[in-house]
Every structure is written in structure tokens, then in C-alpha cells.
Amino acid sequence: MDQRRSPGFAAAAVVAAAAATAICFGDALGLARSPARASNAITGAPFSATSRPIEVLEDAAPWLLPAPEGPKSLRGKVVIVNFWTYSCINSLRALPYLRAWSERYANKGLEVIGVHAPEFGFERDPANVRLATSRLNVRYPNLQDNDYAVWRAFANRGWPGIYFIDAQGKVRGYRLGEGGYDEGEQLIRRLLAEAGHDVSDVPLAPIAGKGLEARADWADLGSPEAYLGYAKAAGFASPGGFRNDAARNYGPAATLSRNRWDLAGSWRVGGEYALLESGPGTIRFHFHARDAHLVLGAAADGRPVRFRVTIDGRAPGASRGVDVDAAGWGEVKEDRLYQLVRQPGEIADRTVAITFSRPGARAYVFTFG
């Protein structure tokens, strides 16, 4: 089955560069979505990846949810290691497969391990990650890799990065980005059989994500991720451009072409996010995709920030995302990804506008699906 690679997974290289030697970032905003055939979706371990992955996991810390019998219990098991970060849509769309593999094969000698490597500052907070894993029903072991030590040891290159490790502790496969899940499950079954486990009684039932985790509509995806912080921003259309790290009254662009966006109101644009400084404020984006998401941060005062979403100036109705109602209303209560739009039927260019009722909200990145 052909899969398409997400435009967003390579963004992790930017964060890894801060923790290791400089890495050439392949510009996620312009990354081509080229088909990846099932025959080559899973490759060998990256060059310079550790030859002792289980030992790396044994030495890693902190574990937010440890393996039931400790890291040393991973020896002799088939292990799946998934590098993820909880506000990344690419990571979220991989979760149904990882959950299903964990549930199907746990009693056959498989252990799924999540390695949470944060992109944004709020994802470094263990309390936020614990809340997210609970909300996302991630029950398999997870460790927090804030300093990218495990990431570097595995030579990982993006989110999601999935490693398939046999019972002898050797990496037998690596998948970067979304897709290749059928091939991945076949590899799991083969590695378990090699380890002496009979998986013939485990059916190969279809796996499908729901809500935020539903598979992207790759055929109609015409918009890449778009960061709102000036460090990685592109496509900003408000007159006068950014005033970095200072409050400024921004005005809307006269027109927005596809993949352009603007601000209205008093915003402080930092390297990582745009913060609404005072009064109500609006962000608009002209996109082409079934789904539109926005990573948002809650206000520092701890009170929810109400917002309203419109699509081409109208309430979303049946095109609402899971985090808004039919009239377009939602609220920012925690730091995470919010789904604003899911269009049914034919996909066309649209302009989504998000108006925040009061200051305090932080906006990080648009992603699409």
C-alpha cells in the first residue's frame, strides 16, 4: 500500500540541532510529499545509530511510565521504540498503530516503548506529558528525553521515528514519518516468530484512527505545517512584517493566497510562538486540506481563553474540528494541539480565522491533514 510522507516530521531536526551538533534542516515548509512504496517504507538502522539500543534504554531517565519489571526486562524481548512528541500531528496519527501492536502482542513477547522528545518548551514539562499520555490513552512505557540523549544515540531524524528491535537487541528496521504500518506489523510478527513465539492466533485486523488520530487525506493535502514564531515562520502576510520579541498592533492582509497567514490585534511574536498581548486578536490562514490544526498554549493566569473559529467568514457547522462546536466556539485550557477544521466531502481552498476573546493565548504552529 502506498503511503505519503508527512510534511512535518522532519521538523525535529531543528530541536535536535540545539542539543547536538548543527544539523542541516530540510525546511519542513517546503518538504516534498513524495510517495514511499511499502517495499521500502522500513529501512535499516540509520548510519551511526547505536548497536546496543537496549543498553541505551536501560541507562535512560526519567521514565514517566516505566516498564513493569524495569528496563532490564527488555532483554530478550522484541521491542518497538517510538520517538514522538505529544503536540505533533504526525506523532498523534501513529498512535493507533502503536497501541494496537502493544495490545495484540504484549503476551507474545513484544514491548512498545515511547521516547518523548519535545519540540516546544511546554513539552519539556513532565506534568504536561503525563497529562497528554493519559488523555491519549498511551499505556505502554514512556520516557522523557528532554536532552535528546536517546535520540542522538539512536541517530533518529524526526517524528515519528519507529525502530524495530529483535530479541537479540539488534535494530532490524527503522521507519521515519507516517505510513508503512502493514509492513511494520509483518516485521513484528516475523521477529516474534524468530524469538520462538507463535503469533498465528493473532488476527491481522485493520487499524484505523479516529478524531485527531485519523489518517491524513494525503491526496487533497496542499498545505504544509506553518510556524508562527519568527525563528521558523514563513508565509506571514500582515503589512510591515514581524517586530521580533516586542508587542505590536498587527493588521490583516488585503488578501491571502494559499498558505499565507496574518495576525490582527496586539501580538508579541517570539522565536517559538505568537502571544496575544491585549484585547481580542485574530489569526487567519488560507489553506487547502481536509483538516486544520493549531498548537496552542494556555494563558499564564490559568483561566481558559475562549476562541471562535470561522471558515470563509462563516460558522464551521459540519466542518468543525473535534475541539470546536458547530458554531465555532472552543477554549484553550491546556498546552496541546487543537483540531479546528475537518471538512467533509469535497476539499477546496478555505480561510480559517481564529479569534481569541482575551489576551494570554500562545499560538505555535498550524498543521494539516
Side-chain angles (χ1 to χ4, degrees):
M1 177 173 58
D2 282 354
Q3 300 287 347
R4 289 187 181 270
R5 186 175 287 184
S6 162
F9 70 84
V14 171
V15 183
T21 57
I23 294 175
C24 180
F25 174 52
D27 185 13
L29 289 167
L31 191 65
R33 296 184 301 280
S34 58
R37 293 189 183 91
S39 61
N40 63 14
I42 293 179
T43 65
F47 179 76
S48 79
T50 178
S51 62
R52 299 178 176 179
I54 301 303
E55 292 182 18
V56 171
L57 295 174
E58 288 176 348
D59 293 338
W63 287 84
L64 302 179
L65 180 62
E69 298 176 15
K72 291 190 181 300
S73 68
L74 300 177
R75 292 181 180 269
K77 291 186 175 182
V78 174
V79 178
I80 305 301
V81 175
N82 171 46
F83 287 89
W84 73 301
T85 189
Y86 82 80
S87 75
C88 171
I89 188 60
N90 315 105
S91 291
L92 296 179
R93 290 194 294 242
L95 290 180
Y97 303 90
L98 293 155
R99 283 197 217 95
W101 295 343
S102 179
E103 293 166 3
R104 289 176 181 180
Y105 302 107
N107 65 353
K108 300 290 186 178
L110 178 73
E111 192 76 74
V112 177
I113 302 294
V115 179
H116 189 273
E119 178 174 18
F120 300 118
F122 64 80
E123 293 172 310
R124 301 177 65 84
D125 184 342
N128 285 345
V129 182
R130 286 192 178 94
L131 177 64
T133 55
S134 175
R135 181 173 52 82
L136 295 168
N137 195 30
V138 175
R139 298 180 180 178
Y140 47 80
N142 261 272
L143 64 87
Q144 183 82 350
D145 193 31
N146 280 355
D147 62 1
Y148 276 64
V150 181
W151 177 291
R152 292 194 303 272
F154 276 70
N156 187 48
R157 301 195 300 271
W159 303 295
I162 302 176
Y163 291 75
F164 300 80
I165 303 169
D166 67 19
Q168 285 70 49
K170 180 181 178 181
V171 176
R172 296 281 294 276
Y174 172 59
R175 171 67 191 179
L176 177 62
E178 299 180 59
Y181 300 115
D182 291 344
E183 184 188 2
E185 187 162 8
Q186 291 291 352
L187 178 55
I188 290 169
R189 293 170 74 94
R190 185 162 70 249
L191 297 181
L192 289 171
E194 289 178 6
H197 301 286
D198 181 7
V199 296
S200 61
D201 59 340
V202 181
L204 284 167
I207 301 169
K210 299 178 181 178
L212 281 172
E213 299 174 356
R215 184 180 184 273
D217 180 3
W218 299 113
D220 268 320
L221 181 55
S223 292
E225 65 186 358
Y227 290 88
L228 277 63
Y230 63 75
K232 291 185 280 183
F236 184 56
S238 284
F242 291 129
R243 181 180 297 168
N244 294 357
D245 299 313
R248 181 192 163 192
N249 285 318
Y250 291 90
T255 60
L256 283 179
S257 57
R258 184 190 285 190
N259 300 330
R260 302 276 285 175
W261 61 280
D262 62 14
L263 298 171
S266 178
W267 294 83
R268 179 184 298 269
V269 179
E272 194 172 77
Y273 57 80
L275 168 70
L276 182 59
E277 278 279 316
S278 63
T282 299
I283 307 171
R284 297 189 305 164
F285 196 104
H286 192 65
F287 72 101
H288 187 100
R290 182 194 67 196
D291 304 339
H293 316 97
L294 182 57
V295 175
L296 294 169
D301 62 13
R303 296 187 294 118
V305 177
R306 291 262 289 169
F307 62 84
R308 186 166 187 238
V309 170
T310 59
I311 304 172
D312 295 338
R314 298 183 293 273
S319 295
R320 70 184 184 91
V322 298
D323 289 300
V324 300
D325 63 21
W329 288 104
E331 58 182 15
V332 184
K333 295 191 291 186
E334 56 195 32
D335 304 337
R336 63 176 176 87
L337 180 143
Y338 291 76
Q339 187 182 80
L340 309 177
V341 176
R342 169 157 287 169
Q343 297 186 71
E346 183 178 357
I347 306 304
D349 279 20
R350 305 291 185 196
T351 297
V352 61
I354 310 96
T355 299
F356 300 90
S357 61
R358 70 176 185 89
R362 290 169 282 124
Y364 289 80
V365 60
F366 281 98
T367 57
F368 302 94

